[in-house]
Amino acid sequence: MMEKLLGLPVLASEHGKDVDNLIIYVHWLMIVLFVGWIAYFVYVLIRFRKSRNPTADYVGVKNHASNYIEGGVALAEGILLIGFAVPLWAKAVDRFPNETDATAIRVIAQQFGWNVRYPGKDGVFGKQDMSLITSENPLGVDKSDPHSKDDIQTLNELHVPVNKPVIIHLTSKDVIHSFKVISLRVCQDAIPGMQIPVWFKPLQEGRYQINCAQLCGAGHYNMSLGMLTVESQEKFDKCQAEQSKAPSGGGFE
Ligand SMILES: [Cu+2]
């Protein structure tokens, strides 16, 4: 019910439920605070009206109600932070699934698109080296490495199988971008010179938009052309097999 009221977007990942719950709890707290402050304001208008208080009282309030209420609010905020936000964050950045039980993908952001690399049939990524980068080989893939033969490379098309964890190793070729898929409740900065892993488990098939959540240049909006497709394992395998066969191990679509 609260999801509808807040207009939360479609949810397609496992941990996303916890993100939404946290958003909802924070809104509940804010509703309580909002109503509380308005009620207090109205009370003060009446209680300290001029006709009842003809002369100013410099002692002020003598009871401790406000201290207790303030303590209660701080406690509620502490519970939200320590009980919900921190464990959720720990799960996202600390408890990674095993790479062998997951779909591992490399995403290399650039101005202005998302390069996607799959390891292909052998499950091993071909070597990449900065010194090999040319205009024809923008990601510096070592073509002499046998593991790179079946690697698949696409632009703005990310496919993952449903109900299986996905680990994305994220980096950038130029400036700081941010890989954001709202429906998966995933958002991670892509930073040049760093490879940052991010993981999620998609639970619902569909085609979801990828956005860049950092203003990365004049064509920033073009990065929302990126699409993430969650599909059945069979469809994913078939698609991978087809692309693996393409000359030069895939290439840009
Ligand atoms: Cu960007």
Side-chain angles (χ1 to χ4, degrees):
M1 177 271 242
M2 272 300 266
E3 284 91 342
K4 275 235 175 74
L5 205 65
L6 293 175
L8 291 178
V10 179
L11 175 64
S13 72
E14 191 183 53
H15 76 281
K17 187 82 205 107
D18 297 332
V19 177
D20 286 6
N21 282 339
L22 188 57
I23 292 172
I24 289 167
Y25 299 150
V26 169
H27 275 82
W28 274 120
L29 177 63
M30 291 305 130
I31 289 169
V32 170
L33 288 183
F34 179 74
V35 171
W37 275 114
I38 296 286
Y40 175 71
F41 178 63
V42 172
Y43 167 76
V44 165
L45 284 181
I46 297 163
R47 171 66 181 77
F48 298 103
R49 66 188 185 276
K50 195 183 169 193
S51 61
R52 196 177 152 180
N53 305 270
T55 50
D57 169 14
Y58 56 84
V59 178
V61 179
K62 288 184 205 77
N63 69 43
H64 291 286
S66 65
N67 299 54
Y68 299 140
I69 294 170
E70 210 159 311
V73 172
L75 186 71
E77 286 171 351
I79 290 171
L80 282 180
L81 187 66
I82 297 160
F84 294 92
V86 173
L88 179 57
W89 181 241
K91 192 177 161 194
V93 299
D94 242 12
R95 266 164 267 153
F96 263 72
N98 223 326
E99 187 127 349
T100 45
D101 310 320
T103 313
I105 301 167
R106 285 184 187 170
V107 172
I108 303 104
Q110 70 174 73
Q111 289 174 318
F112 296 97
W114 307 95
N115 297 288
V116 182
R117 259 173 76 72
Y118 297 90
K121 255 205 308 284
D122 63 0
V124 183
F125 287 102
K127 279 201 202 84
Q128 275 173 269
D129 190 338
M130 258 180 17
S131 64
L132 297 172
I133 291 178
T134 60
S135 55
E136 284 84 47
N137 187 5
L139 302 181
V141 178
D142 184 351
K143 299 252 164 78
S144 65
D145 180 2
H147 291 308
S148 72
K149 291 275 183 300
D150 63 347
D151 287 9
I152 299 164
Q153 202 166 299
T154 65
L155 182 65
N156 289 335
E157 278 295 333
L158 183 52
H159 287 238
V160 295
V162 71
N163 291 329
K164 191 177 166 187
V166 177
I167 301 176
I168 292 180
H169 297 280
L170 193 62
T171 189
S172 168
K173 267 168 63 180
D174 35 48
V175 301
I176 298 175
H177 300 269
S178 186
F179 180 83
K180 180 166 190 152
V181 188
I182 291 168
S183 312
L184 296 170
R185 308 292 190 270
V186 163
C187 189
Q188 172 62 56
D189 274 8
I191 298 169
M194 286 180 83
Q195 207 181 63
I196 305 170
V198 57
W199 81 278
F200 55 87
K201 187 174 173 186
L203 296 181
Q204 196 181 308
E205 289 183 32
R207 218 166 132 70
Y208 308 105
Q209 188 174 39
I210 304 170
N211 288 288
C212 181
Q214 294 280 11
L215 185 54
C216 57
H220 166 64
Y221 62 93
N222 273 329
M223 300 197 71
S224 55
L225 289 174
M227 294 301 276
L228 186 146
T229 305
V230 180
E231 58 199 9
S232 65
Q233 183 75 50
E234 299 84 62
K235 222 168 153 194
F236 175 77
D237 291 339
K238 207 176 130 224
C239 186
Q240 290 269 297
E242 270 166 21
Q243 293 191 55
S244 248
K245 266 184 260 154
S248 77
F252 287 105
E253 275 184 336

